[in-house]
Amino acid sequence: MTLEFYGQKITSRFLIGTALYPSPAIMLDAIQASGSEIVTVSLRRESGKDLAGQKFWDMIRSSDLRILPNTAGCKTVKEAVTTAQMAREIFDTAWVKLEVIGEDDTLQPDVFGLVEAARILCNEGFQVFPYTTEDLVVAEKLVAAGCEVLMPWGAPIGSGRGLNNVYGLRSLRAHFPSIPLVVDAGLGLPSHAAAAMELGYDAVLLNTAVAKAGDPVAMARAFGLAIESGRLAYEADPMEQRDMAAPSTPVIGLPFWNQKHD
């Protein structure tokens, strides 16, 4: 099945962030190694002394990547909406990864503010990618607000813990079979990404696990391969788990030899 976000066909199922890399050159090499065509960019990278972020934006723009601006660090509906509006002007896109953070230690989304901000932005013509939890009720409200993509977390941002609630993520996939679902945040190893794809998720978004690796370029490639492998496994219709063993070699038809005893 072809992956589409708001009617746009996407080839790679790996969305990658642009923060925390040792250098801009390593960042670009890692993005290339990942095979990703979508990168998330925080508006805050565009601010600062002497418009330092402008050089970063020029570099990203020259790479011919699709930009997904995000409202990283926003804690109120007003702040998130304003940041999204500014991002649309700067990056010339209606796409926005919407974050409304509700708790400092876990960076868990404020799902009440998230739904409110999503409704406002969707009404203003934004194409919203909400960073949310695996809660089904919240997901229903985000879809009702106009979101055509859902991005539940795997674990707290930057924790590297993998998929904390496999049951919840599996339930979300079953509940929304036709809506693109992207596991966003908390993955630390390529195996975590493969597991997310094997659940039937459409894509994975991550940053820290690549950017903070000893070799970000190699890790980006590893994640890219794992995501592709996980998707292929899901599409291949894996065998169901069993409680008991099942012989891989058939017993029926095998010869049995009688042993004589003295």
Side-chain angles (χ1 to χ4, degrees):
M1 183 178 67
T2 302
L3 176 60
E4 291 189 9
F5 293 142
Y6 291 99
Q8 299 294 313
K9 292 185 178 181
I10 306 300
T11 302
S12 173
R13 295 177 182 271
F14 188 1
L15 288 67
I16 194 168
T18 56
L20 304 175
Y21 289 88
S23 72
I26 291 176
M27 177 196 70
L28 288 178
D29 287 345
I31 293 172
Q32 183 178 15
S34 74
S36 177
E37 60 194 273
I38 300 175
V39 295
T40 60
V41 178
S42 171
L43 183 65
R44 286 166 170 76
R45 296 296 298 269
E46 291 303 305
S47 60
K49 186 177 179 181
D50 299 325
L51 295 177
Q54 187 61 43
K55 294 181 180 179
F56 171 81
W57 165 233
D58 289 342
M59 183 169 53
I60 290 293
R61 181 168 51 189
S62 66
S63 66
D64 196 32
L65 294 163
R66 186 181 292 273
I67 307 298
L68 176 59
N70 68 50
T71 62
C74 292
K75 296 183 177 181
T76 67
V77 172
K78 182 178 180 180
E79 185 182 11
V81 169
T82 301
T83 301
Q85 292 167 338
M86 293 173 63
R88 179 162 61 178
E89 295 299 319
I90 293 174
F91 298 113
D92 191 27
T93 178
W95 282 16
V96 63
K97 178 190 170 186
L98 180 60
E99 295 184 24
V100 183
I101 301 301
E103 207 279 322
D104 288 336
D105 290 331
T106 62
L107 299 180
Q108 180 169 328
D110 171 2
V111 294
F112 305 101
L114 180 68
V115 171
E116 183 180 350
R119 183 176 295 109
I120 293 170
L121 292 173
C122 288
N123 287 339
E124 292 185 3
F126 282 87
Q127 295 173 332
V128 178
F129 295 67
Y131 166 61
T132 184
T133 67
E134 66 277 16
D135 188 287
L136 292 176
V137 176
V138 175
E140 287 277 16
K141 292 184 180 299
L142 288 168
V143 171
C147 297
E148 297 181 14
V149 178
L150 296 173
M151 303 181 72
W153 65 348
I157 295 172
S159 67
R161 296 181 59 85
L163 306 180
N164 271 356
N165 184 359
V166 173
Y167 170 80
L169 292 170
R170 184 182 288 114
S171 297
L172 193 66
R173 176 73 285 176
H175 199 71
F176 296 97
S178 60
I179 291 180
L181 299 181
V182 182
V183 170
D184 177 13
L187 306 186
L189 294 170
S191 57
H192 297 159
M197 299 304 292
E198 289 169 3
L199 289 176
Y201 275 70
D202 297 282
V204 165
L205 191 159
L206 60 89
N207 185 176
T208 308
V210 168
K212 301 298 286 184
D215 186 341
V217 178
M219 187 61 77
R221 183 168 182 269
F223 266 102
L225 292 171
I227 290 167
E228 181 180 359
S229 176
R231 182 64 190 185
L232 286 172
Y234 171 74
E235 292 177 344
D237 190 16
M239 63 175 286
E240 295 183 1
Q241 293 184 354
R242 296 169 52 95
D243 291 330
M244 302 297 291
S248 57
T249 302
V251 176
I252 298 176
L254 290 180
F256 289 89
W257 305 97
N258 292 325
Q259 186 175 5
K260 294 182 178 180
H261 298 277
D262 292 335

